[in-house]
Amino acid sequence: MVAHVPSFRQQAFINGEWVNADGRASFAVVNPATSETIGHAPDMGAAETRRAIAAAAAALPLWRRASVMARAQILRRMSQLMIEEQDRLARVMTIEQGKPLAEARIEIAYGASYFDWFAEESRRIYGDIIPGSQDRRLFVIRQPIGVVGAITPWNFPSAMLARKMATALAAGCTMVAKPAELTPFSALELADLAMRAGVPAGVFNVITTNAAAAVGEELTHNALVRKITFTGSTAIGRLLLKQASEHIQKCSMELGGNAPLIVFEDADLDRAVAGAVTAKFRNAGQVCIAANRLLAHVSIANAFAEKLAAACAALRVGNGLEDGVAIGPLISMAAVEKVERHIADAVARGARVLTGGARHALGGSFFQPTVLDNVSPDSLICHEETFGPVAPVMRFETEEEALNLANATPFGLASYFYSRDISRIFRVAEKLESGMVGVNETAISTAIAPFGGVKYSGLGREGSRFGLEDYLEKKYICLGGVE
Ligand code: NAP
């Protein structure tokens, strides 16, 4: 049975007001599980973005000087409201994005944890005193960077924005956010909660659009914006970095991944299978830190692949609002076609389909969870982010070979491995080229640790005290003439 769907905001949010696009243009948002239009969002462009930036700039002086206690209280209230409204917010997310309701609830709680964490961190933006010479005293203070432009993707429509918003507001910055065209409503709900939590007008603004390039250009070409924070594909990240160079805006880039998951011969196999299922099939594989390539030692590869295929075949596919559904639809038919291309290419290079391998009988963008065995490392699936429910298993013989395979990618967001050998654990963790490593664990993302990548996976970190640094400037003050 499909559960109740709540109402939600369908206007953009500028300077504390709910507004339409100048020409009242709007675009439809479609539920990927049913192909039904669930609502409309304003189709804004450069002019509205400019107004939102001006509002954020006007709100900055008061917000940056607000007492740390006042800011912390508002952020904590934001976290509480998210938890109080967890179920409603999760339903909005499921109908616009497709993920199972249970996953959507977890995402809301995860986003709330960032507000909670940064409510505390905002009270600890300490400075430094550096020993100087006899007649000088040297100080370093940390100040908010200023107005931040945030652009976020559709795969975690609430949490990807909550991570940025919580940190920016904690640092004393103000923000203009642009969510993905496919999933604008979860972002608008965050604006609604911000207003109710007491975030002053202009501090947080949301522009919705189906003309992302125009809004991105205004955010990067407007000198009032001092930082761009982006989560999305490496291609768009690269474009924004170029655009941001005009006004030398600071940039945080959370980009694509191609995570390896290595299962060594000394691993706890059942734990590895359970970890691989979470890392590969959560959000139907549409996760930047999804395990994109599974590498199993030859001695346990058959057992691992078979257990994984059995676990995968048990995952129920369906509308995310229905009880017991583990895999929702893919976001679009283009995503389905990419998955099919990856499977066909792997099979042409000798891979065997252990389970799944085709579109689901439900039709639309539903796809069967799939396990491929004996995948050749030169397959497309090993080099591109699949962003779908396909687990390709490769084999290796030595630790060195596993590391070479794992690092044979320009991406470096997350890596995972399973082993019970303590020397190997340190050796391999240190040699993997990624910003994050999960050892015997794939649920690694948390507000209290730095999330981010190396190589083509991005710049900067979100979460933890390190995340806050990315929204602060260090100012050195030299006081001379001290007798
Ligand atoms: P995307 O195409 O790069 O889109 C991301 C955001 O950028 C959307 O809001 C999109 O707007 C906007 N955008 C597109 N073209 C733009 C332009 N010319 N100027 C300014 N903004 C523009 O990525 P996606 O397909 O939505 O998301 C999937 C990607 O995100 C994957 O590569 C995934 O790995 C990555 N991701 C990374 C992380 C991380 O933390 N590292 C987390 C989640 C996802 P429209 O939607 O309106 O086009």
Side-chain angles (χ1 to χ4, degrees), residues 151-156 160 163 178-182 209-217 230-237 239-240 243 253-257 287-289 385 387 413 451-453 457 462:
I151 300 177
T152 51
W154 50 265
N155 61 344
F156 290 92
M160 293 303 96
R163 287 204 310 208
K178 189 212 87 64
E181 173 195 350
L182 298 171
T209 184
N210 69 3
V215 174
E217 277 168 24
F230 173 72
T231 299
S233 62
T234 298
I236 301 297
L239 176 78
L240 290 171
Q243 291 178 192
M253 294 279 149
E254 296 284 355
L255 308 179
V287 181
C288 55
I289 56 168
E385 220 177 1
F387 245 52
L413 191 55
F451 188 105
S457 292
E462 289 185 339

Side-chain angles (χ1 to χ4, degrees), residues 309-371:
C312 171
L315 298 173
R316 199 177 135 211
V317 178
N319 184 326
L321 290 180
E322 289 171 21
D323 287 341
V325 163
I327 308 248
L330 294 188
I331 192 69
S332 64
M333 291 315 291
V336 172
E337 283 154 22
K338 183 175 193 190
V339 165
E340 286 178 327
R341 217 166 39 244
H342 278 190
I343 294 175
D345 171 81
V347 169
R349 294 171 201 267
R352 207 157 54 89
V353 179
L354 294 189
T355 184
R359 295 183 189 200
H360 195 273
L362 284 171
S365 60
F366 290 99
F367 202 90
Q368 295 174 354
T370 299
V371 176

Side-chain angles (χ1 to χ4, degrees), residues 4 14 51 63 65 78 81 87 108 111-112 116 168 177 192 197 224 260 271 329 341-342 362 375 388 411 416 460:
H4 168 69
I14 301 178
R51 280 206 294 281
W63 183 247
R65 283 186 22 242
M78 185 78 197
L81 284 172
D87 191 65
I108 297 298
D116 197 42
D192 186 57
L224 291 175
R271 191 176 170 88
R341 217 166 39 244
H342 278 190
L362 284 171
V375 172
F411 297 96
Y416 311 95

Side-chain angles (χ1 to χ4, degrees), residues 103-314:
E103 284 188 24
R105 287 196 187 104
I106 291 171
E107 179 174 339
I108 297 298
Y110 170 81
S113 74
Y114 277 80
F115 286 100
D116 197 42
W117 173 264
F118 282 106
E120 298 302 321
E121 283 299 291
S122 69
R123 307 201 290 188
R124 303 196 180 91
I125 301 176
Y126 299 136
D128 290 65
I129 300 173
I130 300 172
S133 54
Q134 269 182 347
D135 64 341
R136 291 169 162 217
R137 299 293 182 271
L138 315 185
F139 306 90
V140 177
I141 60 170
R142 287 180 165 78
Q143 296 185 302
I145 285 181
V147 177
V148 176
I151 300 177
T152 51
W154 50 265
N155 61 344
F156 290 92
S158 182
M160 293 303 96
L161 181 53
R163 287 204 310 208
K164 299 179 187 310
M165 178 183 171
T167 327
L169 268 51
C173 297
T174 58
M175 177 170 270
V176 176
K178 189 212 87 64
E181 173 195 350
L182 298 171
T183 57
F185 297 134
S186 292
L188 294 174
E189 288 307 304
L190 285 181
D192 186 57
L193 297 190
M195 194 176 67
R196 287 157 54 193
V199 173
V203 170
F204 180 68
N205 308 272
V206 180
I207 292 283
T208 55
T209 184
N210 69 3
V215 174
E217 277 168 24
E218 183 59 36
L219 288 173
T220 47
H221 293 156
N222 190 318
L224 291 175
V225 178
R226 294 314 315 146
K227 177 183 170 89
I228 297 292
T229 173
F230 173 72
T231 299
S233 62
T234 298
I236 301 297
R238 195 174 276 130
L239 176 78
L240 290 171
L241 279 170
K242 280 188 196 144
Q243 291 178 192
S245 69
E246 182 185 347
H247 293 298
I248 321 290
Q249 291 164 319
K250 304 255 178 205
C251 289
S252 289
M253 294 279 149
E254 296 284 355
L255 308 179
N258 182 6
L261 184 150
I262 310 170
V263 186
F264 286 104
E265 62 277 24
D266 56 75
D268 174 338
L269 212 54
D270 290 331
R271 191 176 170 88
V273 170
V277 170
T278 311
K280 179 68 254 187
F281 295 105
R282 184 167 64 108
N283 201 8
Q286 303 169 117
V287 181
C288 55
I289 56 168
N292 205 47
R293 300 168 291 150
L294 310 185
L295 316 176
H297 187 265
V298 280
S299 64
I300 48 91
N302 284 343
F304 173 73
E306 277 161 24
K307 279 173 183 260
L308 181 66
C312 171

